[in-house]
Amino acid sequence: RLDPQATLQWSFIDRWGTHPKLISAFADRIEAQIKQLTDDVRHTTPILFSAHSLPLNVVDRGDPYVAEVGGTVAYVVDELRRRGIHNPYRLVWQSAVGPLRWLGPQTESAIKSYGSAGYTSLVMVPIAFTSDHIETLFELDIEYGEVAEESGITQFLRAEALNDHPPFIDALATIVKEHIDAGFPTSSQLLLPDPGNESEQTRITREWIAAQGQRLATSI
């Protein structure tokens, strides 16, 4: 309706979760919180990378989100190791709602578990969020902050979201420039259907993106 004559040309930047500048920006945010820990727990405090969970029926269809979030975590941990930060870590999942079975372990359960195990400090990292919103400012900071306090966690720190962190802005600019310089490629990964039962809406979207990529390729 906004472009009935299809005059706009669309190009999609896809799969940048392991871009070196993005990884470095995440590591900056985590390192800043590690430095805030007291000396006695600075090197032993677990880092909990928290991402939005998915219903297991979505995971079972083959959605690559879980693997890709894990890839980002692996690259960030690698960068932290290069900076001399060797804290243990886990990837946990937040924001599950409703009666369906969701991907775990859940962030809230992990906080309670580590408190019960005697840990008194945690560093939380909103790894799948690039800006602050209700799931960082309220869910992580307030709701899970209360859970941490009730669980005996006395140092509950949360890495800032990337927001307008200059290295993150530089990462975005670099990713856009690399996409333009490469001739606006359409990711083959983006066009691959899930091996499970693909929803009709997902199929329509995927085919539309493919058509846009072909149209753009013939015009440049």
Side-chain angles (χ1 to χ4, degrees):
R1 287 178 292 180
L2 295 176
D3 186 28
Q5 305 303 317
T7 56
L8 293 176
Q9 293 183 323
W10 296 82
S11 178
F12 295 86
I13 296 174
D14 182 51
R15 268 69 184 182
W16 48 282
T18 58
H19 192 280
K21 290 190 175 182
L22 174 72
I23 298 305
S24 181
F26 271 126
D28 289 347
R29 292 304 209 195
I30 298 167
E31 184 175 16
Q33 295 307 309
I34 295 294
K35 290 179 178 179
Q36 297 300 314
L37 293 165
T38 54
D39 291 344
D40 57 322
V41 296
R42 181 168 296 129
H43 303 297
T44 57
T45 295
I47 300 171
L48 296 187
F49 294 91
S50 187
H52 199 295
S53 189
L54 284 181
L56 286 180
N57 60 357
V58 176
V59 178
D60 290 343
R61 285 203 301 266
D63 192 298
Y65 169 76
V66 177
E68 290 172 356
V69 173
T72 300
V73 169
Y75 274 73
V76 171
V77 169
D78 225 26
E79 174 62 22
L80 292 173
R81 299 294 185 254
R82 280 193 287 273
R83 299 183 185 198
I85 297 170
H86 297 274
N87 296 60
Y89 69 94
R90 286 293 185 273
L91 172 57
V92 294
W93 307 90
Q94 67 180 84
S95 310
V97 294
L100 295 175
R101 292 183 62 232
W102 287 66
L103 184 68
Q106 292 296 307
T107 302
E108 181 175 349
S109 299
I111 293 169
K112 292 178 179 178
S113 176
Y114 286 119
S116 297
Y119 287 90
T120 59
S121 57
L122 291 172
V123 172
M124 309 300 298
V125 182
I127 192 62
F129 307 119
T130 56
S131 62
D132 278 316
H133 56 303
I134 190 171
E135 288 168 313
T136 58
L137 299 173
F138 182 73
E139 187 175 8
L140 275 176
D141 292 353
I142 297 176
E143 289 191 330
Y144 294 159
E146 292 174 355
V147 171
E149 184 177 2
E150 293 167 359
S151 301
I153 308 294
T154 56
Q155 296 183 71
F156 185 73
L157 305 181
R158 198 261 291 177
E160 289 185 65
L162 298 178
N163 294 320
D164 60 351
H165 186 40
F168 176 55
I169 303 304
D170 179 50
L172 294 179
T174 300
I175 291 164
V176 171
K177 184 176 186 303
E178 289 173 349
H179 183 70
I180 294 171
D181 290 346
F184 305 96
T186 299
S187 167
S188 58
Q189 180 75 352
L190 184 60
L191 302 180
L192 182 68
D194 290 339
N197 295 323
E198 183 178 46
S199 71
E200 180 69 6
Q201 185 56 57
T202 300
R203 182 189 63 78
I204 292 171
T205 302
R206 180 173 50 78
E207 291 177 354
W208 182 81
I209 291 172
Q212 295 300 312
Q214 291 172 354
R215 182 167 170 251
L216 186 61
T218 59
S219 67
I220 59 176

